[in-house]
Amino acid sequence: MKLQHVYEAQQFTLPKLLELFNLADDMERIVNRGGTKDYQSKIMASLFYEPSTRTRFSFESAMLRLGGSVISTERAQEFSSVMLGESLEDTVRVVGNYSDVIVLRSNEIGGAKRAAEVSSVPVINAGDGKGGQHPTQALLDLYTIHKEVKTIDGVKVAMVGNLADGRTVRSLAYLLGKFERVKLYFVAPPALQMKQDILDYLARHNCWFTLESDLKKVLPEVDVLYVTRIEQEVLDQHEKINREIASSFFINAEMMKLLRPNGLVMHPLPRLSEIAPAVDADPRSAYFRQTRNGVLIRMALLVSLWE
Amino acid sequence: MKLQHVYEAQQFTLPKLLELFNLADDMERIVNRGGTKDYQSKIMASLFYEPSTRTRFSFESAMLRLGGSVISTERAQEFSSVMLGESLEDTVRVVGNYSDVIVLRSNEIGGAKRAAEVSSVPVINAGDGKGGQHPTQALLDLYTIHKEVKTIDGVKVAMVGNLADGRTVRSLAYLLGKFERVKLYFVAPPALQMKQDILDYLARHNCWFTLESDLKKVLPEVDVLYVTRIEQEVLDQHEKINREIASSFFINAEMMKLLRPNGLVMHPLPRLSEIAPAVDADPRSAYFRQTRNGVLIRMALLVSLWE
Amino acid sequence: MKLQHVYEAQQFTLPKLLELFNLADDMERIVNRGGTKDYQSKIMASLFYEPSTRTRFSFESAMLRLGGSVISTERAQEFSSVMLGESLEDTVRVVGNYSDVIVLRSNEIGGAKRAAEVSSVPVINAGDGKGGQHPTQALLDLYTIHKEVKTIDGVKVAMVGNLADGRTVRSLAYLLGKFERVKLYFVAPPALQMKQDILDYLARHNCWFTLESDLKKVLPEVDVLYVTRIEQEVLDQHEKINREIASSFFINAEMMKLLRPNGLVMHPLPRLSEIAPAVDADPRSAYFRQTRNGVLIRMALLVSLWE
């Protein structure tokens, strides 16, 4: 699989996803052996228009494990030339002369695609704009299910939290919809339920789903519980939601008893109080392993650009 | 050529410039082969007192292509010790104990020279203060002419835009004045014309020049059209200039018809609307190639410090 | 000596200190040979919650001299996930999946210890909170005495400046108290004298000390003069101190005549006007050499984590 750019999750067909996951498995073996120097002539530019140190560190770690090196900014908006009014396209053309791949965190929806159109080197979307794409997060989530549940076909996934605004759950639902016999349980207070566009998409792909508000009922059914943050400002807007959440959506040791012995708890992080710290030691808690898988997926994507 | 420090364009004699350009040509071959590891024991410190991510990335890319590594800050003014009142000299002495070369973007005119006087490792000036020196930009501009026009002696260069305040055009005019039979056309509205000190310098060096305000008349004459930004605040000050500019100094496809088939369009970037995006695809547009040449010149300078 | 984490100076016993100093001597030989590539598979994460570019550069230089590589932020407080309310513990767990060692500059006292408790990779404290620990500074100070005076047992050290609030002098006094026949001279205006807790500690360890206010009297007695900053805000509070300081605590060429020919002047830097620039050229001025020793000590600590 040779990639030119990575700008949206949709560009990956099902066979390409599985190819990518196999490559990520290879990357794990490489990391366990202490990394490689195969890509030591490559330079990655981290071009972040808004800070996202976690994502930046993950990409940079991936690049360094491959033997490459990094030039990095997380305040490209203060880039002297950007302040002077330079277009994203010009910036990308210039940075492409300093590097072999650009990891772009844009502050505009569609920024990565615009960048890819003019760039002389591959561009990877590291999140573009609030509500835009963050394809590598979606890929690492799916890879974690693939790796830990062993198969994605037939998997039963509950998504809980603020599904209406959650970029990660929307992307993951989108990708899961491509697989066979997947069952999705959207668990949220009505005001924060998964939006109609995704439900329509799933219906078109004959993907089974249900809308729920009682997590306790759903928990025993599923292989994966994917928890997302409900931001404080959302809670502040809905006093009613606030109480419902507090009483029914928080994951604690009690809740974990309802989950299957080989079930998984995932979370895109950062977490607030959706998951009690006491749950961290449970082997079914996969959220920190997800971040490790993120490095592997990003290594696999980088390798796919150059092979 | 062994360099001790790089603080101003004036320190380069004509033979040293040509030696540097030959070395930059070598660097291009090295980059095309995937870089070198010859300098893997070297650490470069990017010590930027004001953000200039483009310049920083260019230097860091140069260092990484040579196999070296980088420690980097672009907000040295928030350096805890600087905030506590530490002098530039002390900071440089300390950073010299952490690195093998310091690339300094100072916010004071003459900062690089002061740093060089006390530093135990070589210092390279990456721009010092508004109106101060930025020698590596001048060198990369001159190198681009050398490389693309093949010879600097006898070259005809039009400089257009805000010549009064333009650091890059002033430095380039200064360096071009050292060569034989160069002809310079300064094209600007009278209020933004090249200042008398440079004109006097050129006169002393018997370098031919003319002051123009009609770009269309000049364009068919020249080998190189060097365009610079006229900042919005300058335009705002001069309503009359604003209209003149709009009507006569913007480079578009129509204007390009007046330029020789083997002419060059250069620009220090970032560009605003001085050059229409439609011009980018013209092979005579050298402004993005300039940024690539910047990496090569900086590699050559770094190598010159250690060889 | 295998270390798990480095969170406080107190964790080092006397034999471990000497072992560390021997290792730092080895590191100097390695640096003089151009560094090593032995740790090229290792990634260090610089996780700084407040800027301290000097400390960050020193650690990163140490890591690069060992052949390793670095991912780095000096504004972890703007870490998108931290802004969203992520705990230090969660951040450290995540960053541990991107790196092989975390160098943490926390803004909370005890931050490094909390981090060490949950981290899957070693954590090194690079300063935690105002008034908290900064063990590597204390170690490099002690190493400088060890290296330049040859022995720590029996050394006579004068500490001058703001001893009441000085983290470095407090830590150094603490460590010196573990050695034999050390004599400490605390020279400060009464309001800024060394606090009782340290004096009690020294008394318990039978370490000789005296409280003085006349530096001229003390200078001829000592092997080491350790000068610290008296911050402007402290001076502003005490008009009386201000004048006393100005008249008696500044180190100039005149003062240096009172110091033994083989005495040492140390300073944690940054310096303000406590030491006149004219003193820099005196071979007894060790403050810039201290920063170089800092790289060696940090290399030794990093190696101790992995060997």
Side-chain angles (χ1 to χ4, degrees):
Chain A
M1 171 178 57
K2 168 96 179 165
L3 290 174
Q4 209 189 338
H5 302 285
V6 180
Y7 47 86
E8 58 182 15
Q10 294 93 306
Q11 76 187 86
F12 292 88
T13 61
L14 211 134
K16 281 202 180 286
L17 283 171
L18 296 175
E19 207 182 327
L20 184 70
F21 296 163
N22 286 337
L23 192 51
D25 290 345
D26 294 344
M27 293 301 126
E28 182 155 42
R29 284 183 285 273
I30 285 173
V31 169
N32 290 342
R33 283 200 318 261
T36 172
K37 285 282 150 189
D38 283 2
Y39 301 91
Q40 63 178 5
S41 71
K42 300 295 188 187
I43 299 175
M44 179 176 103
S46 294
L47 186 63
F48 278 56
Y49 282 79
E50 51 185 30
S52 179
T53 312
R54 175 194 301 277
T55 301
R56 183 170 65 84
F57 270 19
S58 178
F59 270 107
E60 295 182 357
S61 180
M63 186 61 174
L64 295 173
R65 295 287 186 215
L66 290 170
S69 49
V70 175
I71 54 178
S72 181
T73 183
E74 76 184 351
R75 41 181 212 154
Q77 73 288 4
E78 294 175 39
F79 216 86
S80 55
S81 43
V82 171
M83 288 189 74
L84 292 169
E86 186 170 62
S87 68
L88 174 64
E89 283 81 355
D90 275 15
T91 301
V92 161
R93 280 188 193 102
V94 170
V95 174
N97 278 333
Y98 303 154
S99 62
D100 303 298
V101 56
I102 296 173
V103 173
L104 177 69
R105 174 73 156 222
S106 170
N107 48 5
E108 299 169 65
I109 294 182
K113 201 159 188 178
R114 277 171 51 208
E117 276 159 16
V118 301
S119 180
S120 59
V121 300
V123 171
I124 303 182
N125 186 351
D128 57 1
K130 212 175 162 56
Q133 284 266 344
H134 192 1
T136 60
Q137 176 70 45
L139 293 172
L140 80 86
D141 286 341
L142 196 65
Y143 175 57
T144 299
I145 297 174
H146 165 85
K147 192 174 173 180
E148 303 223 2
V149 186
K150 305 304 175 205
T151 168
I152 302 177
D153 289 329
V155 75
K156 296 176 191 169
V157 180
M159 300 187 186
V160 61
N162 182 355
L163 307 182
D165 303 315
R167 181 164 62 177
T168 52
V169 281
R170 287 174 53 84
S171 297
L172 184 58
Y174 181 92
L175 286 174
L176 285 169
K178 297 188 172 193
F179 288 79
E180 299 292 319
R181 291 167 287 107
V182 167
K183 290 190 169 187
L184 300 178
Y185 303 72
F186 299 119
V187 188
L192 303 181
Q193 258 298 3
M194 185 59 83
K195 285 191 177 152
Q196 196 58 40
D197 61 333
I198 293 289
L199 303 182
D200 290 346
Y201 165 86
L202 294 170
R204 279 200 308 278
H205 284 69
N206 298 312
C207 179
W208 187 95
F209 66 85
T210 180
L211 304 184
E212 293 285 349
S213 58
D214 183 356
L215 182 58
K216 285 183 178 153
K217 200 182 94 188
V218 168
L219 261 183
E221 305 278 325
V222 300
D223 304 300
V224 177
L225 170 64
Y226 194 104
V227 185
T228 66
R229 221 167 24 253
I230 303 187
E231 292 80 2
Q232 192 54 48
E233 65 258 34
V234 174
L235 291 178
D236 291 346
Q237 281 165 27
H238 304 267
E239 176 55 25
K240 186 157 157 296
I241 290 176
N242 208 333
R243 262 177 286 116
E244 282 186 70
I245 296 297
S247 60
S248 69
F249 292 141
F250 282 7
I251 312 303
N252 51 28
E254 204 57 37
M255 279 287 201
M256 289 298 281
K257 289 182 189 158
L258 300 175
L259 186 68
R260 296 175 176 181
N262 59 352
L264 277 194
V265 184
M266 294 175 63
H267 192 297
L269 301 183
R271 100 176 115 176
L272 298 176
S273 44
E274 310 86 50
I275 302 179
V279 175
D280 297 355
D282 192 306
R284 295 171 295 175
S285 298
Y287 30 94
F288 292 116
R289 296 196 295 273
Q290 269 171 278
T291 64
R292 187 172 148 83
N293 291 335
V295 176
L296 304 177
I297 277 289
R298 285 159 182 141
M299 289 175 75
L301 288 169
L302 287 167
V303 165
S304 303
L305 299 169
W306 294 315
E307 298 276 283
Chain B
M1 172 178 57
K2 169 96 178 167
L3 291 174
Q4 208 188 340
H5 301 285
V6 179
Y7 47 85
E8 58 183 15
Q10 292 93 306
Q11 77 187 84
F12 292 88
T13 60
L14 210 135
K16 281 202 179 286
L17 284 171
L18 296 175
E19 208 183 326
L20 184 71
F21 296 163
N22 286 337
L23 192 52
D25 290 344
D26 293 345
M27 294 300 125
E28 182 155 42
R29 285 184 284 274
I30 285 173
V31 168
N32 289 343
R33 285 201 316 262
T36 172
K37 284 283 151 187
D38 283 1
Y39 300 91
Q40 63 179 3
S41 72
K42 299 294 188 187
I43 299 176
M44 180 176 101
S46 295
L47 186 62
F48 278 57
Y49 282 78
E50 51 185 30
S52 179
T53 312
R54 175 196 301 277
T55 301
R56 183 170 65 84
F57 271 20
S58 178
F59 270 107
E60 295 182 357
S61 179
M63 186 62 175
L64 296 172
R65 295 288 185 214
L66 291 170
S69 50
V70 174
I71 54 177
S72 181
T73 183
E74 74 185 351
R75 39 184 213 153
Q77 71 289 5
E78 293 174 39
F79 216 85
S80 55
S81 43
V82 172
M83 289 189 74
L84 292 169
E86 186 170 62
S87 67
L88 174 64
E89 282 82 356
D90 275 14
T91 301
V92 162
R93 281 188 193 100
V94 170
V95 173
N97 278 332
Y98 302 153
S99 62
D100 302 298
V101 57
I102 296 173
V103 173
L104 176 70
R105 175 72 157 222
S106 170
N107 48 4
E108 298 169 66
I109 293 182
K113 202 159 186 178
R114 279 170 51 207
E117 276 159 15
V118 301
S119 180
S120 60
V121 300
V123 172
I124 302 182
N125 185 351
D128 57 0
K130 211 172 162 62
Q133 284 267 344
H134 193 0
T136 59
Q137 176 70 43
L139 293 172
L140 80 87
D141 286 341
L142 196 64
Y143 175 56
T144 300
I145 296 175
H146 166 84
K147 192 174 172 180
E148 303 223 3
V149 185
K150 305 305 177 204
T151 169
I152 302 178
D153 289 328
V155 75
K156 296 175 191 170
V157 180
M159 300 187 185
V160 61
N162 182 354
L163 307 182
D165 303 316
R167 180 163 64 175
T168 52
V169 281
R170 287 175 54 84
S171 297
L172 184 57
Y174 180 91
L175 286 175
L176 286 169
K178 298 189 173 192
F179 288 80
E180 300 290 319
R181 289 166 290 109
V182 167
K183 289 190 170 188
L184 299 179
Y185 303 73
F186 299 118
V187 188
L192 304 181
Q193 258 299 1
M194 184 58 81
K195 284 191 178 153
Q196 196 59 41
D197 60 333
I198 294 288
L199 303 182
D200 290 346
Y201 166 87
L202 294 171
R204 279 199 308 278
H205 284 70
N206 297 313
C207 179
W208 186 95
F209 66 84
T210 180
L211 305 183
E212 294 284 348
S213 58
D214 184 356
L215 181 58
K216 285 184 179 153
K217 199 182 97 187
V218 168
L219 261 184
E221 305 279 323
V222 299
D223 303 301
V224 177
L225 170 65
Y226 195 105
V227 185
T228 65
R229 222 165 27 253
I230 303 186
E231 292 81 2
Q232 192 56 48
E233 65 258 34
V234 174
L235 290 178
D236 291 346
Q237 280 165 27
H238 305 266
E239 174 56 25
K240 186 159 158 291
I241 291 176
N242 209 331
R243 264 177 286 118
E244 281 185 71
I245 298 296
S247 59
S248 70
F249 293 139
F250 282 9
I251 312 302
N252 52 27
E254 203 58 37
M255 278 287 201
M256 290 297 280
K257 288 183 189 158
L258 299 176
L259 185 68
R260 294 175 178 183
N262 60 350
L264 277 194
V265 183
M266 295 175 62
H267 192 297
L269 300 182
R271 99 176 117 177
L272 299 175
S273 43
E274 310 85 54
I275 302 178
V279 175
D280 296 356
D282 192 307
R284 294 171 296 176
S285 297
Y287 31 94
F288 292 116
R289 295 196 297 273
Q290 269 171 276
T291 64
R292 187 173 148 82
N293 290 335
V295 175
L296 304 177
I297 277 290
R298 284 159 182 142
M299 290 176 74
L301 287 170
L302 288 167
V303 164
S304 303
L305 299 170
W306 295 316
E307 296 276 284
Chain C
M1 172 178 59
K2 169 97 179 167
L3 291 174
Q4 209 187 339
H5 300 286
V6 179
Y7 47 86
E8 58 183 15
Q10 294 93 305
Q11 77 187 84
F12 293 88
T13 61
L14 211 133
K16 281 203 181 284
L17 283 171
L18 296 175
E19 208 182 327
L20 184 69
F21 296 162
N22 287 336
L23 193 50
D25 291 343
D26 293 345
M27 294 300 126
E28 182 155 41
R29 283 183 285 274
I30 285 173
V31 169
N32 290 342
R33 284 200 317 262
T36 172
K37 284 284 150 187
D38 283 2
Y39 299 91
Q40 63 178 4
S41 71
K42 299 295 188 187
I43 298 175
M44 179 176 104
S46 294
L47 187 62
F48 278 56
Y49 282 79
E50 51 185 28
S52 179
T53 312
R54 176 195 301 278
T55 302
R56 183 170 65 84
F57 270 19
S58 177
F59 271 108
E60 295 181 358
S61 179
M63 186 61 174
L64 296 172
R65 295 287 187 215
L66 291 170
S69 49
V70 175
I71 55 178
S72 182
T73 183
E74 75 184 351
R75 37 183 216 156
Q77 72 288 3
E78 294 175 39
F79 217 84
S80 56
S81 42
V82 172
M83 289 190 74
L84 292 168
E86 186 170 60
S87 67
L88 174 65
E89 283 81 355
D90 275 15
T91 301
V92 161
R93 280 188 193 100
V94 171
V95 173
N97 277 333
Y98 303 153
S99 61
D100 303 297
V101 58
I102 296 174
V103 173
L104 176 69
R105 173 76 158 221
S106 170
N107 47 4
E108 298 170 65
I109 293 181
K113 202 160 186 177
R114 279 171 49 208
E117 276 158 16
V118 301
S119 180
S120 60
V121 300
V123 171
I124 302 181
N125 185 351
D128 58 1
K130 211 172 162 59
Q133 284 266 343
H134 192 0
T136 60
Q137 176 71 44
L139 293 171
L140 79 88
D141 286 341
L142 197 64
Y143 175 55
T144 300
I145 296 173
H146 165 84
K147 192 174 172 180
E148 304 222 2
V149 186
K150 306 302 177 205
T151 169
I152 302 177
D153 288 329
V155 77
K156 296 175 192 169
V157 179
M159 300 187 185
V160 60
N162 182 355
L163 307 181
D165 303 317
R167 179 163 66 176
T168 52
V169 281
R170 289 174 53 84
S171 297
L172 184 58
Y174 180 91
L175 286 174
L176 286 169
K178 298 190 173 192
F179 288 80
E180 299 292 319
R181 291 167 287 110
V182 167
K183 290 191 169 185
L184 299 179
Y185 304 72
F186 300 119
V187 188
L192 303 180
Q193 258 298 3
M194 185 58 83
K195 285 190 178 154
Q196 196 59 41
D197 60 334
I198 293 289
L199 303 182
D200 290 347
Y201 165 85
L202 294 171
R204 279 200 308 278
H205 284 70
N206 298 313
C207 180
W208 186 94
F209 66 85
T210 180
L211 304 182
E212 294 285 349
S213 59
D214 184 356
L215 181 58
K216 285 184 179 155
K217 200 182 96 188
V218 168
L219 261 184
E221 306 278 324
V222 299
D223 303 302
V224 178
L225 169 66
Y226 194 105
V227 186
T228 65
R229 224 167 21 255
I230 303 186
E231 292 80 3
Q232 191 56 47
E233 63 258 34
V234 173
L235 290 179
D236 291 345
Q237 280 166 26
H238 305 267
E239 175 56 24
K240 187 158 157 295
I241 290 176
N242 209 332
R243 264 177 287 117
E244 281 186 70
I245 297 296
S247 60
S248 70
F249 293 141
F250 282 8
I251 311 303
N252 52 28
E254 204 57 37
M255 279 287 202
M256 290 297 281
K257 288 183 189 158
L258 300 175
L259 186 68
R260 293 176 179 183
N262 59 350
L264 276 194
V265 183
M266 294 176 63
H267 192 297
L269 301 183
R271 103 179 111 176
L272 299 176
S273 43
E274 310 86 53
I275 302 180
V279 175
D280 297 355
D282 191 308
R284 295 171 294 176
S285 297
Y287 31 92
F288 292 115
R289 296 197 295 273
Q290 268 171 278
T291 64
R292 188 173 146 83
N293 290 335
V295 176
L296 304 177
I297 276 290
R298 285 160 182 141
M299 290 176 73
L301 288 169
L302 287 167
V303 164
S304 303
L305 298 169
W306 294 316
E307 297 276 285

